[in-house]
Amino acid sequence: MGANRHMSVDSRGRYTPEVAGEVLPGSEGPAGSRSHNLNSTRRTSLMQEPVLVLNATYEPINVTAVRRAMVLMLKGVAQAEEMHNTEVHSAAHAHRVPSVIRLLAYRHIPQQSRALSRKNILLRDRNTCQFCVRVFPSSELTLDHVVPRSRGGRSTWENLVACCYRCNNSKGDRTPEEAGLKLARRPRPFTLHTSRQLMRLIGHRDERWRKYLFY
Ligand SMILES: [Zn+2]
């Protein structure tokens, strides 16, 4: 990581705020690949690099993208705790790229605030089919109801798992036992604990994160 890269923020010289909410990068996002493409692709990938977000108390609470982290800094909501040796240029200024930011006001994080969604189920299961235990791109995974809906199985954290199409087909409208399949692990709600595990995984890419992630 780390050769000096000089890039502008966008063609209008402004930062473009993103919609808040989805803050952990998806599996197809920054954690997946470091792009060495040219020019605009490279700039875009830089702005999507993961940034660790700490609460005011230094507790790690999330992962966001460089672009959104810089918006939070410009708004005075957060300050940089660790920086990359990389700058981006807006119309008038050069800004160093943050690696870790900290919120200036304490934010209460509910224990299980994460929305039940396809994206979050795939994140929780780390894009691994829970039956054949192979890793797939998101586009090659579906969600499987462990207890089929036709048997009263509900759409909950405990009954939905990432599943490849092949396993999904062979399981059909049966329980895992009936289909001779075994779950890799019992599905659980996506908790802050899970988020921390993900942060650690992503953090292996960035030395600057370590002291905040209790290595
Ligand atoms: Zn499978």
Side-chain angles (χ1 to χ4, degrees):
M1 133 160 344
N4 282 330
R5 291 179 285 183
H6 295 272
M7 290 146 210
S8 47
V9 173
D10 70 20
S11 55
R12 291 152 298 173
R14 291 188 285 120
Y15 297 97
T16 316
E18 290 177 338
V19 180
E22 288 294 345
V23 269
L24 271 170
S27 46
E28 54 280 298
S33 63
R34 174 177 296 277
S35 166
H36 290 288
N37 298 336
L38 301 170
N39 300 330
S40 63
T41 314
R42 204 165 150 213
R43 183 186 75 206
T44 305
S45 79
L46 173 69
M47 295 306 276
Q48 289 168 354
E49 287 284 307
V51 174
L52 181 66
V53 182
L54 307 175
N55 214 333
T57 53
Y58 291 89
E59 178 194 17
I61 52 173
N62 230 324
V63 177
T64 190
V66 164
R67 181 188 300 276
R68 177 152 173 78
M70 293 184 85
V71 170
L72 294 175
M73 287 162 61
L74 288 171
K75 283 180 173 172
V77 173
Q79 70 179 32
E81 294 291 331
E82 305 287 336
M83 308 288 268
H84 288 291
N85 296 320
T86 307
E87 289 181 340
V88 291
H89 295 262
S90 60
H93 303 284
H95 304 270
R96 287 187 67 195
V97 173
S99 163
V100 179
I101 62 169
R102 184 170 65 92
L103 300 180
L104 297 180
Y106 179 77
R107 197 171 133 210
H108 176 69
I109 308 295
Q111 195 55 38
Q112 286 178 17
S113 59
R114 211 154 278 283
L116 179 66
S117 68
R118 171 186 154 81
K119 184 180 169 187
N120 283 336
I121 299 262
L122 297 189
L123 262 175
R124 180 198 63 186
D125 294 344
R126 293 174 195 166
N127 274 56
T128 306
C129 172
Q130 293 299 291
F131 296 111
C132 67
V133 203
R134 287 165 59 202
V135 178
F136 292 89
S138 299
S139 59
E140 292 174 30
L141 285 166
T142 184
L143 298 186
D144 180 68
H145 284 79
V146 178
V147 176
R149 269 181 291 193
S150 60
R151 311 281 190 87
R154 293 185 302 140
S155 297
T156 59
W157 285 109
E158 294 84 356
N159 197 45
L160 283 169
V161 293
C163 182
C164 74
Y165 285 104
R166 192 171 169 182
C167 289
N168 193 243
N169 278 335
S170 71
K171 179 169 177 284
D173 223 15
R174 299 178 289 177
T175 64
E177 296 73 36
E178 291 168 349
L181 295 168
K182 197 163 175 289
L183 276 175
R185 55 178 184 162
R186 195 162 73 83
R188 296 170 184 277
F190 196 120
T191 62
L192 193 57
H193 175 70
T194 319
S195 301
R196 289 220 182 91
Q197 288 182 325
L198 287 166
M199 287 179 205
R200 278 191 198 100
L201 282 176
I202 299 166
H204 278 295
R205 302 166 67 252
D206 192 337
E207 293 286 321
R208 297 169 190 84
W209 288 22
R210 296 199 173 202
K211 64 183 168 193
Y212 304 101
L213 294 172
F214 322 117
Y215 274 80

